[in-house]
Amino acid sequence: MKTSDDISAPIPKEPKVDSTLSKGLAILENLVGAQTGKGVTELSKELGLTKSNTFRLLQTLTLLGYVQRREDKTYSATLKTWRVGRASVENLNLRELAAPELSFLSNETGEAVYLAVRENLSVVYIDKVDSQKPIRSWNTIGDTAPLHCVGTGKALLAAEFAKLRDQIKGALTHHTDKTLTDMAALEADIALTLKRGYAYDTGEFRDRIVSFGAAIVLPGGEAVGALGISLPDINLPEDGIDRFGGLVSHAANSLSAKLGRN
């Protein structure tokens, strides 16, 4: 009689990959990461596809609304792709996952702390812990602010600057005498943000309200949100810039690592 040890378990077969679907997704991923539109010839060379196959797949993606054909006969990804990506971010349960980091920042600083996501060229605050101080900063959940002049926004802008540079160039609205409305000044600020790991708003959106922000990223490097600290400049201690910047950077890195494990 054969025992169970004598019976070999069947080796599971690897699932078959649909080649048409995988090629279509490769085209879409390529266009999402592109700075400008791409033509059939360029895409076919980059992806190792025939021109006829590339054209057919582009036609299908265009019909489904994920790709658009531009006036110069190149193709680019549409906002439908962005909406699908946004829905996937919401499905990450970002608010629930970020709750410990928000509590940590609140306990360490006593100031208002925020969780924000990007929507076009603005940030939207999707969660917060109010300040414990008598003189405080404030925002409500659902409020928005321009990317280029608040800590969370500048952190997200830095994380996606290559993609957003051309768009933000024409949207540097003025809010206070400290708002960065010059592209060269903004680029220098972005470089500093990337170097130190956090963004610092010196009162660029509201007078005498400063803020710090750091991007939350997925393992592939995609920014899905930002953590922020906001406070009146009168509350900022002598070592506050380095301290608060370090705290928000640490919290964002912790949350990013958590997302990588989920």
Side-chain angles (χ1 to χ4, degrees), residues 164-215:
L164 297 174
R165 186 185 185 283
D166 289 343
Q167 298 175 51
I168 202 71
K169 188 175 182 179
L172 299 180
T173 51
H174 179 271
H175 300 274
T176 75
D177 60 2
K178 294 187 176 181
T179 307
L180 301 178
T181 57
D182 175 73
M183 198 62 187
L186 180 64
E187 288 178 336
D189 189 74
I190 291 294
L192 184 57
T193 294
L194 293 172
K195 180 179 179 180
R196 65 191 172 192
Y198 64 88
Y200 177 43
D201 146 34
T202 62
E204 297 152 40
F205 184 50
R206 291 186 292 173
D207 281 317
R208 305 201 63 182
I209 300 294
V210 301
S211 64
F212 302 80

Side-chain angles (χ1 to χ4, degrees), residues 111-116 123-131 136-146 149-152 201 205-206 209-211 228-231:
E111 301 292 352
V113 297
Y114 298 97
L115 173 65
V123 288
V124 181
Y125 301 108
I126 63 171
D127 207 353
K128 69 167 185 171
V129 179
D130 286 326
S131 171
R136 64 184 69 184
S137 167
W138 74 96
N139 277 300
T140 59
I141 294 174
D143 278 356
T144 64
C149 53
V150 294
T152 50
D201 146 34
F205 184 50
R206 291 186 292 173
I209 300 294
V210 301
S211 64
I229 307 167
S230 179
L231 63 153

Side-chain angles (χ1 to χ4, degrees), residues 189-262:
D189 189 74
I190 291 294
L192 184 57
T193 294
L194 293 172
K195 180 179 179 180
R196 65 191 172 192
Y198 64 88
Y200 177 43
D201 146 34
T202 62
E204 297 152 40
F205 184 50
R206 291 186 292 173
D207 281 317
R208 305 201 63 182
I209 300 294
V210 301
S211 64
F212 302 80
I216 305 157
V217 297
L218 297 177
E222 302 92 340
V224 296
L227 292 173
I229 307 167
S230 179
L231 63 153
D233 61 4
I234 195 173
N235 290 0
L236 190 66
E238 188 174 336
D239 65 343
I241 295 177
D242 289 339
R243 179 169 175 265
F244 284 18
L247 285 169
V248 77
S249 177
H250 171 76
N253 288 338
S254 174
L255 182 51
S256 297
K258 195 188 303 183
L259 288 174
R261 295 192 294 269
N262 278 268

